[in-house]
Amino acid sequence: MNETFMKEKPILPLLTSMALPMVISMMVNALYNIVDSLFVARINENAMTALSLVFPIQNFVNALAIGFGVGINALIAYFLGAGDKKGADRAATQGLVLALIHGVVVTVLSISIMPAFLDMFTNDVQVYQMGMEYAVIVFAFSTITMANLSFEKIFQSVGRMKVSMIGLLCGSITNIILDPLLIFGIGIFPRLGIAGAAIATAIGQLCTLLLYLTVYNKRPIPVKIRKEYLAFHKETDHRLYSIGVPAILNLALPSLLVSVLNGILAAYSQIYVVILGIYYKLQTFLYLPANGIVQGMRPLIGYNYGAGEQKRVKKIYEITLAMSAVIMALGTILCLVASRGLMELFTENAETIAAGGTALRIISAGFIISSVSVTASGALEGLGKGTQSLVISLFRYVILMIPAAFVLCRIFGPTGVWHAFWITEAVTSVIAAYIYHKAVGSRK
């Protein structure tokens, strides 16, 4: 394969070819998240509540895996763009080693803190037991999750987006198939309830890792994991963390936000906690396609930045922004037209459906404008400017969203929390556009 194709091919078809596999895989992965919740919701509403309460910690683990993977992706793409093959190999090797270490640490810590974490949000014994049952199994496979995301980002960094797509499809489809079999005990499978959902997730992750390892060993790529680079390398590790840590925090801040919002909403009714959990499951389906485009953009923008192709960097950003806005517009229409129907997928409680439909319609007002901050953050990470990307997230989740939710709920009750979403996105988009253009303009 021509390794310089990322700076030579026309941008629109190149971005489309890079992004389309990721959009497809993100949509299937989002479908898995929704289907998983649909099956869990069929156990009872307590099971859905347990899943919602575990979500912040589960999201943090995923954030660590994905965020550090962004650092691996960006650094490899930068070195390849600069023609430094050894630097790219070292980044891939060090990134994988550190990710495996992260997995072991996260497994121990997440399982240890889970009892106290659940006690903070519920007094219901069944909800607590279900939450623990699900969490212990899912978090026991954290190391596999870390390895998966490392290989995914390595393949993406060299333009092998189809491999990432197939890997995600493999895991998601396996999970979707196993969910009903293990949750409800169909055929030869035991009835495991919410533990079955966790086991299905773990097996799906394992299948993805096996596929990545097989492809890596059978189909050569420009970047290699090499024994001579296993020893820690201060400069490489520093650069991985300088990009990865802000990306991790970017993705982890929603966990903080969800925990705070759960605390606010629980004071009114557990119904609103369920609604928030359902929204974040639906959000994956709405945002992940746009995130797929950003993932396709990230190695392109990093490679061209490393190669000094500033005009292409600008064009890649503009086209990605336009594509993301179109996807988010479709999400807005869906939530406005079918808000009640979407809620009915997860619950039969009439009060939850009515309140949830209102929540979706209000929150969706900020979808289109959010494409600005989503694209700017992804572009900054691709450029290796993780700190600026983190600043955008801090504004969104900590400086704007949490205070707005506290203030507006005092005025409008729980509905005020939903209004805080679109208000935050409107303000954040302005901040994100300013930060991105200032960061890019600083390199002349």
Side-chain angles (χ1 to χ4, degrees), residues 411-424:
I411 301 172
F412 303 106
T415 303
V417 174
W418 316 137
H419 282 291
F421 278 86
W422 69 264
I423 292 172
T424 295

Side-chain angles (χ1 to χ4, degrees), residues 366-417:
F367 285 171
I368 297 176
I369 194 66
S370 70
S371 60
V372 175
S373 56
V374 170
T375 305
S377 291
L380 288 165
E381 289 166 355
L383 297 172
K385 297 178 179 293
T387 301
Q388 290 92 326
S389 178
L390 176 59
V391 170
I392 294 172
S393 290
L394 287 171
F395 267 100
R396 174 191 282 117
Y397 297 115
V398 179
I399 298 174
L400 297 173
M401 182 68 190
I402 291 176
F406 269 114
V407 171
L408 293 174
C409 76
R410 298 294 187 274
I411 301 172
F412 303 106
T415 303
V417 174

Side-chain angles (χ1 to χ4, degrees), residues 206-226:
L206 183 59
C207 288
T208 299
L209 180 58
L210 291 174
L211 185 142
Y212 283 150
L213 290 172
T214 301
V215 174
Y216 175 80
N217 285 296
K218 298 294 184 181
R219 302 285 298 272
I221 61 174
V223 173
K224 290 293 183 183
I225 309 298
R226 299 189 181 277

Side-chain angles (χ1 to χ4, degrees), residues 80-108:
L80 289 177
D84 186 351
K85 178 69 166 55
K86 290 183 178 180
D89 286 348
R90 183 182 285 111
T93 306
Q94 289 287 291
L96 180 60
V97 170
L98 292 169
L100 294 176
I101 294 172
H102 297 162
V104 174
V105 173
V106 164
T107 296
V108 175

Side-chain angles (χ1 to χ4, degrees), residues 326-346:
V326 170
I327 288 177
M328 297 313 299
L330 295 174
T332 303
I333 294 170
L334 179 64
C335 285
L336 291 176
V337 173
S339 57
R340 288 182 62 90
L342 291 171
M343 295 302 299
E344 287 171 351
L345 293 173
F346 298 90

